[in-house]
Amino acid sequence: MATLFVNASGAAAEAIERAIPELVQERVASRIAAKDPTLWGPESESEASARLGWVDLIDASRTLLPEIERLRLDLQGEGVNHIVLCGMGGSSLAPEVITRSAGVELTVLDSTDPAQVRGALADRIGSTAIVVSSKSGSTVETDSQRRVFEQAFTDAGLDAKSRIIIVTDPGSPLDESARAAGYRAVFNADPNVGGRYSALTAFGLVPSGLAGADVATLLDDAESIGEFLFDDDAGNVGLRLGAVLGGTLPLRDKIVFVDEGSGIVGLGDWVEQLIAESTGKLGTGVLPVVVEQDAPELSSGAPDVLAVHLVSPESNTEPAGNAIAVGGSLGGQLLAWEFATAVAGRLLGINPFDQPDVEAAKQAARGLLDAQPETVPPNFVDGAVEVRGSGALLGSATTLGEALEALIGSLEPNGYLAVQAYLDRIAEAPLAGIRPALARVSGRPVTFGWGPRFLHSTGQFHKGGTPVGAYLQITGATTEDLAVPERPFSFGELIAAQAAGDAKVLEDAHRPVLRLHLADRSAGIRQLHDVMDHLAGRSVENGNG
């Protein structure tokens, strides 16, 4: 039987002690099990009534397994053993965690960066099939990826239709067009499950199963935890998690996730989307911050920070400070965190099933694509980096280091810094190394997101959550663009519009935004590392490290 434990200390233990009696008395767990949409208030009732399908989907999900296995074997028999997932947000993050934890290969294409898309196209096209995952089918990134792969299959002399598998909601435009086009297979997911709660639906299971992950055991583990999640009991681990997320007083709204041997690869990235997009609205919410071991945030002692240590299920670790330790199987954790996020939504007084501010950046990007405006000149250029700042942010700054110091200086005492890198997250992964240096220099929590995928994740919190963020946007020159078949824009134009649109929405909300454009990507990344190493070293010398 799968197990899951949540051990707490400090403010986390106090939140559990304070919130659990009320949650049990109000029968929150059993009411979630009964799909009671009134739990989150009258304004949320309509949305919640159509978004609670995740509560009891295990049996329905099991019916998908034989078809997934048959398709996997058929593809292998045809020499197709490389699966590429074209999806964003909830459609891509769960399969990435499932397959990486299982040690099987799945190429996750959740980018519009031309170089990253080209890299996926160039990798074993002859033995590749793609899974296109989108609830509606209208997601511009996913539609563009499907188009370019379909063209690539055809150009390679392959039957494109036999290499394309669709996962979508029944009756969606994609469902109808895919069936009409005669694609290899179309899997329908439960339409009453939102994207970020869809890990155990077709969106999580189809690409993971086709890649070779043991999704049957995943469902078994989730089911065994589910037997306890819906009990109105003080020991309910889901209620305990929910109390920690939404019940600290005052609210510790920066939840720092660190993996310390959980055996689950990338769980923090999946939880980040689930919590940020579910709670970051109406000027409140909790911001997940995924960090490396020994990150500055873990020892900062900041009054708005709470640590989540993801540990081995065999360890039963007891945390120290204001923290919890969580251990359990992947299937159990996926369901437990979904449940806990719904509980946290009730404690915070928000609807955990909508994402009212996600559309703002999409609309801005579409407007910029249509208008194709001229590039705004930089405030200044330093080496390989063009520097642009919102409002009066930059002041008298004339160097990259001074610009970064200006952004850090704009942080409020309870603020956070968000790095938004619209680059190739595979080839340019070392850029993420600036995150801990920024945290050390600023003394505040720092998130790192790859664009445009973070727009379907923390992007909701940036616009709708507590308005205390400062934003470092990093874009790069496109040396070789890539056209989107039958569309009036290229991938390079699309990612540029997405970055500019997101910056515009943040600037219109009067948030500090520093935009760095790398005219030479490799040189610019080296320059950023050098500048951050210098600033971090100076911070240590001044006793701030």
Side-chain angles (χ1 to χ4, degrees), residues 371-426:
Q372 294 186 341
E374 294 183 7
T375 302
V376 177
N379 292 78
F380 62 86
V381 177
D382 182 355
V385 183
E386 299 174 3
V387 180
R388 296 171 176 84
S390 60
L393 173 67
L394 292 177
S396 60
T398 58
T399 68
L400 176 58
E402 290 170 348
L404 289 166
E405 288 181 310
L407 182 67
I408 292 167
S410 73
L411 280 167
E412 300 175 43
N414 64 333
Y416 67 92
L417 178 61
V419 184
Q420 306 170 337
Y422 287 84
L423 298 169
D424 182 341
R425 75 177 178 98
I426 307 301

Side-chain angles (χ1 to χ4, degrees), residues 126-171:
S127 57
T128 294
I130 65 170
V131 177
V132 179
S133 288
S134 174
K135 281 184 68 64
S136 67
S138 62
T139 306
V140 64
E141 299 97 333
T142 306
D143 178 68
S144 299
Q145 293 156 357
R146 176 192 60 78
R147 289 173 181 275
V148 77
F149 260 99
E150 190 161 7
Q151 184 66 57
F153 288 137
T154 301
D155 290 348
L158 303 169
D159 177 11
K161 294 177 181 179
S162 71
R163 301 296 185 96
I164 299 175
I165 297 124
I166 303 295
V167 183
T168 189
D169 280 358

Side-chain angles (χ1 to χ4, degrees), residues 33 44 51 67 91 149 167 170 189 205 221 281 331 334 338 397 463:
S44 305
R51 288 288 178 261
E67 186 178 355
S91 297
F149 260 99
V167 183
L205 301 178
D221 288 347
K281 59 200 71 170
L334 292 174
E338 290 173 354
K463 286 93 173 174

Side-chain angles (χ1 to χ4, degrees), residues 33-48:
K35 301 183 182 180
D36 181 353
T38 67
L39 278 166
W40 299 277
E43 292 185 359
S44 305
E45 193 168 334
S46 175
E47 180 85 25

Side-chain angles (χ1 to χ4, degrees), residues 82-331:
H82 177 221
I83 303 298
V84 175
L85 171 59
C86 301
M88 301 297 297
S91 297
S92 64
L93 288 165
E96 186 167 66
V97 174
I98 294 167
T99 53
R100 290 174 69 191
S101 300
V104 299
E105 183 185 24
L106 175 71
T107 296
V108 176
L109 183 58
D110 54 0
S111 177
T112 51
D113 179 79
Q116 189 170 336
V117 177
R118 281 187 181 279
L121 291 170
D123 184 14
R124 294 166 286 172
I125 192 71
S127 57
T128 294
I130 65 170
V131 177
V132 179
S133 288
S134 174
K135 281 184 68 64
S136 67
S138 62
T139 306
V140 64
E141 299 97 333
T142 306
D143 178 68
S144 299
Q145 293 156 357
R146 176 192 60 78
R147 289 173 181 275
V148 77
F149 260 99
E150 190 161 7
Q151 184 66 57
F153 288 137
T154 301
D155 290 348
L158 303 169
D159 177 11
K161 294 177 181 179
S162 71
R163 301 296 185 96
I164 299 175
I165 297 124
I166 303 295
V167 183
T168 189
D169 280 358
S172 73
L174 179 59
D175 185 38
E176 296 173 1
S177 63
R179 294 182 190 279
Y183 291 149
R184 180 64 176 262
V186 179
F187 291 86
N188 287 143
D190 187 336
N192 294 316
V193 180
R196 56 190 178 275
Y197 290 82
S198 66
L200 298 171
T201 72
F203 286 105
L205 301 178
V206 171
S208 302
L210 292 178
D214 181 0
V215 290
T217 296
L218 185 80
L219 291 176
D220 289 344
D221 288 347
E223 184 175 46
S224 66
I225 293 300
E227 295 174 4
F228 304 99
L229 285 180
F230 304 114
D231 289 340
D232 297 310
D233 182 272
N236 183 325
V237 291
L239 292 178
R240 289 166 65 85
L241 278 177
V244 170
L245 291 178
T248 51
L249 288 177
L251 182 65
R252 289 178 176 261
D253 62 355
K254 318 298 189 304
I255 310 294
V256 178
F257 284 82
V258 59
D259 193 289
E260 297 177 342
S262 71
I264 303 173
V265 183
L267 180 63
D269 293 327
W270 175 80
V271 176
E272 176 185 60
Q273 189 226 7
L274 174 68
I275 296 174
E277 199 167 66
S278 297
T279 70
K281 59 200 71 170
L282 301 179
T284 187
V286 289
L287 177 69
V289 182
V290 181
V291 305
E292 55 290 319
Q293 293 188 31
D294 301 320
E297 291 91 340
L298 295 170
S299 56
S300 72
D304 57 341
V305 169
L306 188 143
V308 176
H309 302 270
L310 301 172
V311 299
S312 165
E314 289 79 31
S315 68
N316 207 27
T317 300
E318 293 290 345
N322 300 300
I324 59 172
V326 184
S329 66
L330 174 54

